[in-house]
Amino acid sequence: MTPNISPFIIFFASIITSNMILSNFLGMCSYLSVSTEYKTATGLGMAVTLVLVLTTVVNWFIYTYVIVPLELIYLQYIIFIMVIAALVQILEMGMDRYTPDLHAKLGIFLPLITVNCAILGVTLFMVIRHYSFLQSLLFALGSGFGWWLAINMLAAIREKMAAVKLPPGVKGPALSFIITGIMAMAFIGFSGIFTIQ
Amino acid sequence: MDLSVILRTVGSLALISGALSIIISLSEMVLNNYGTVELDINNGDRKLSVKGGSSLLSTLAGEKVFIPSACGGKATCGLCKVGILDGAGPIALTEEPYLTQEDRASNLRLSCQVKVKTNMRLLIPEDLFNIREYLCELEEIEDLTYDIKRLYLKLPQDQTINFKAGQFMQFYSRPYGKIKEEVFRAYSISSKSSQHDHVELLIRLVPNGIVTTYVHTALSVGDTVRLSGPYGDFYLRGDAEELIMIAGGSGLAPIRSLVYEVIEKGLPHKMRFFFGANKLRDLFYLEEFARIEQEHPNFKFIPCLAFPEPEDNWQGETGFVTVALEKHVDSGENREAYLCGSPGMLDACIKILKDKGFPDSKIFFDKF
């Protein structure tokens, strides 16, 4: 059942052609709200990538060795969410203890990320598409980089546009949506290079 | 069949969430266990042995040291700043917006965002150890003018207050009429700082003001009033020969306290007190200040009426306080200014003081 696609194709495809934000529109909440500054957007992107990889790996094992053998597929959503929440909590404590510098930069984003739908989205795509372990790992890594790339682009554009005089109706979230829409259209130009979905 | 599905669902969910909770608890015991740590406050003045792992704000609150905080530890008010010399770790992104360059230079941090992990050396303003809550009994309430009441409050038997003249208390109203919740406002203390068992507050009725309406309509002698304090950095510096004091209306309160502090401590400062009001009916405490003026040659009282009525037979200064200020104060040399009143009046007075050469560092004010 595992699709016969090279994990590296999956990796690049999830950055460019199947970008979590620009083609799946997942994880929009934190993407829109934490994209006013390039620096913080970078922090959030890094945190999302880290959590994505960790949760996807753990969820892959949970799915393969717990959910499937015990026939709990109908509970997978709840289980995935619980695993993500628990993992993020432990990750935060561990970071605070062993890498306080990193925690100072990423710590606040971790609770935000628990409810980021890109995280659950990647896990669910992995299940639906029957990815192998390696495929899942690179899919998660690529999706994280893709999300990171998208939020950094939006933040950079928003920083540039901060000085531009705009009519009140297109300020703030409206502007973010317009920028995201244009970026998504631009990314359509990549379609055909890789196909994974 | 149905029952077995239900049992399996509930059972496996319980097992999985139980397993996850155990993993979280275990990792918390391992990862979040920082043991007992020592907090050294103000270079050895106080030492606390506390359990690490929580925020500094809540750890200190557990030790009955209350750092002011309006948001309750969410890093949104920026009030809970505390000096941390040692053991704070890097500045978190959440703190960034609230710390100015000066804050950083003096090692200030948001105590709600700093976790207690190791021994720390802290600098906490001594005043904060002084802040208490008092359930006072209203001993006297009287009209000073048609819209200003004087409240004389007796502290509980076993409590005393130490405040610097000029500081204020927070006054908590009780629900009354249409107001369903407790509301608090700040009022300056007008009594002498040498008095430790009573406080006096002067409260002017503000149209539609929740707390002032409560004070003026719902409060009577014998009622219990909740206060907390003292707060504020409006107090006597005394680094000059003469103190220029300016107040409007109930802004007289902290100035009265300041005047008494200078007199009771036998300080050498000269004092001139400009008290602004509209009409004669707005003036109060006139006899008291006239008496102080007679007994203490260092103190001069200058009441000013902006719009005296003909029947007021006003002999004193006429016009806004600013006019009297222009006339009587020639320069800022060796003088400090203490102002309390409405923002409009204060801004006008501060402008004049600056024109006269008062540096910013010599102008102290309490706007309300």
Side-chain angles (χ1 to χ4, degrees):
Chain A
M1 284 288 270
T2 302
N4 188 19
I5 311 174
S6 156
F8 294 99
I9 297 287
I10 294 180
F11 174 74
F12 288 111
S14 49
I15 298 177
I16 299 169
T17 54
S18 300
N19 189 294
M20 269 300 140
I21 286 178
L22 299 173
S23 66
N24 292 302
F25 282 83
L26 287 177
M28 293 299 286
C29 173
S30 35
Y31 166 78
L32 290 174
S33 56
V34 194
S35 56
T36 41
E37 270 179 51
Y38 190 82
K39 208 174 132 197
T40 35
T42 308
L44 182 64
M46 213 191 300
V48 165
T49 310
L50 182 68
V51 172
L52 252 181
V53 172
L54 276 177
T55 53
T56 309
V57 166
V58 173
N59 276 338
W60 188 87
F61 281 104
I62 298 264
Y63 182 76
T64 317
Y65 296 107
V66 180
I67 294 179
V68 173
L70 297 180
E71 294 170 30
L72 296 174
I73 307 239
Y74 60 103
L75 286 178
Q76 60 177 349
Y77 285 67
I78 294 184
I79 296 173
F80 287 149
I81 286 279
M82 288 196 302
V83 169
I84 292 171
L87 208 66
V88 170
Q89 217 170 343
I90 296 169
L91 181 70
E92 195 193 351
M93 284 188 281
M95 254 168 126
D96 197 8
R97 174 123 205 174
Y98 299 111
T99 53
D101 287 306
L102 196 62
H103 183 264
K105 286 199 195 82
L106 303 187
I108 47 162
F109 300 124
L110 293 175
L112 259 181
I113 290 166
T114 313
V115 290
N116 185 327
C117 30
I119 310 284
L120 184 64
V122 167
T123 294
L124 293 178
F125 280 139
M126 156 193 101
V127 170
I128 294 167
R129 297 178 190 163
H130 307 285
Y131 282 160
S132 69
F133 177 73
L134 200 60
Q135 285 172 330
S136 303
L137 178 68
L138 282 165
F139 177 52
L141 194 64
S143 299
F145 283 149
W147 201 93
W148 189 352
L149 176 72
I151 194 172
N152 263 1
M153 290 196 302
L154 176 66
I157 296 173
R158 282 181 74 173
E159 268 191 6
K160 284 271 180 213
M161 295 207 55
V164 179
K165 272 203 174 169
L166 290 168
V170 291
K171 273 185 184 161
L175 180 67
S176 306
F177 274 113
I178 294 170
I179 296 171
T180 308
I182 295 172
M183 289 201 303
M185 282 196 281
F187 267 61
I188 292 177
F190 292 117
S191 58
I193 303 181
F194 319 103
T195 334
I196 57 163
Q197 66 187 72
Chain B
M1 172 61 194
D2 277 345
L3 190 66
S4 75
V5 171
I6 294 171
L7 280 179
R8 197 174 51 172
T9 309
V10 174
S12 33
L13 270 185
L15 272 179
I16 291 175
S17 45
L20 287 173
S21 330
I22 291 173
I23 294 174
I24 291 181
S25 310
L26 284 178
S27 37
E28 182 160 12
M29 271 162 59
V30 176
L31 295 175
N32 206 20
N33 180 7
Y34 295 92
T36 306
V37 299
E38 297 278 330
L39 300 182
D40 170 314
I41 301 174
N42 297 347
N43 297 317
D45 276 1
R46 278 157 218 264
K47 281 200 195 304
L48 301 172
S49 279
V50 297
K51 204 173 154 293
S54 318
S55 78
L56 182 60
L57 181 71
S58 56
T59 306
L60 286 174
E63 299 293 320
K64 302 259 174 267
V65 178
F66 299 104
I67 309 294
S69 160
C71 67
K74 298 192 196 70
T76 55
C77 71
L79 286 178
C80 62
K81 285 176 193 166
V82 160
I84 306 180
L85 298 177
D86 253 353
I91 293 177
L93 263 180
T94 33
E95 296 175 75
E96 293 272 355
Y98 300 98
L99 299 176
T100 62
Q101 289 301 328
E102 289 165 22
D103 287 348
R104 285 163 211 240
S106 42
N107 294 315
L108 286 183
R109 298 287 298 272
L110 290 192
S111 60
C112 69
Q113 298 300 306
V114 174
K115 200 161 158 181
V116 180
K117 295 182 193 171
T118 57
N119 293 350
M120 296 174 112
R121 287 198 300 132
L122 310 174
L123 292 178
I124 300 175
E126 202 55 41
D127 299 356
L128 290 183
F129 297 105
N130 232 340
I131 295 175
R132 299 258 186 291
E133 195 177 79
Y134 301 94
L135 285 175
C136 306
E137 185 195 328
L138 182 61
E139 221 170 66
E140 294 166 27
I141 179 165
E142 60 166 330
D143 286 321
L144 289 180
T145 71
Y146 69 101
D147 69 347
I148 297 178
K149 275 191 195 292
R150 166 183 170 273
L151 276 64
Y152 196 57
L153 297 144
K154 185 174 183 290
L155 267 44
Q157 288 280 310
D158 52 343
Q159 280 182 294
T160 53
I161 186 166
N162 283 304
F163 67 96
K164 296 180 194 163
Q167 287 191 303
F168 65 86
M169 300 293 281
Q170 273 176 355
F171 181 109
Y172 300 80
S173 72
R174 284 161 187 271
Y176 69 100
K178 284 183 185 158
I179 310 296
K180 298 283 178 254
E181 54 198 14
E182 187 184 72
V183 179
F184 69 83
R185 294 284 183 273
Y187 299 104
S188 298
I189 308 171
S190 60
S191 43
K192 303 169 185 178
S193 56
S194 59
Q195 194 173 16
H196 301 292
D197 53 353
H198 282 80
V199 288
E200 184 190 87
L201 308 175
L202 308 182
I203 300 181
R204 187 176 78 86
L205 180 65
V206 177
N208 299 321
I210 294 176
V211 178
T212 62
T213 309
Y214 167 77
V215 168
H216 278 254
T217 59
L219 212 53
S220 54
V221 171
D223 286 350
T224 304
V225 170
R226 192 154 80 89
L227 300 178
S228 73
Y231 300 96
D233 51 10
F234 182 68
Y235 51 80
L236 184 71
R237 307 303 200 280
D239 191 18
E241 255 173 42
E242 190 180 30
L243 314 176
I244 302 294
M245 296 155 159
I246 303 161
S250 55
L252 173 137
I255 305 290
R256 177 176 185 262
S257 193
L258 281 172
V259 170
Y260 276 117
E261 182 158 282
V262 172
I263 291 173
E264 287 191 337
K265 288 190 173 165
L267 300 175
H269 307 294
K270 285 185 186 169
M271 291 180 279
R272 263 187 287 172
F273 176 21
F274 296 86
F275 183 35
N278 282 336
K279 303 179 194 312
L280 193 60
R281 63 170 190 161
D282 297 310
L283 289 178
F284 54 97
Y285 274 148
L286 286 182
E287 291 91 31
E288 183 172 327
F289 280 105
R291 200 181 60 240
I292 301 176
E293 199 173 16
Q294 275 179 356
E295 292 169 4
H296 301 274
N298 270 351
F299 177 75
K300 236 178 125 31
F301 181 52
I302 306 161
C304 319
L305 288 189
F307 311 105
E309 298 284 351
E311 64 267 27
D312 286 349
N313 284 325
W314 183 245
Q315 307 290 322
E317 295 290 333
T318 307
F320 287 114
V321 185
T322 46
V323 178
L325 214 52
E326 271 302 352
K327 191 163 125 193
H328 291 279
V329 181
D330 54 356
S331 81
E333 202 176 326
N334 228 336
R335 292 193 172 116
E336 277 177 357
Y338 294 83
L339 300 88
C340 185
S342 62
M345 176 193 140
L346 254 55
D347 291 341
C349 291
I350 289 172
K351 192 175 171 298
I352 290 180
L353 291 172
K354 282 189 184 165
D355 290 345
K356 300 246 178 211
F358 279 79
D360 280 334
S361 60
K362 294 284 183 189
I363 302 178
F364 308 100
F365 55 85
D366 193 355
K367 265 186 210 181
F368 56 77

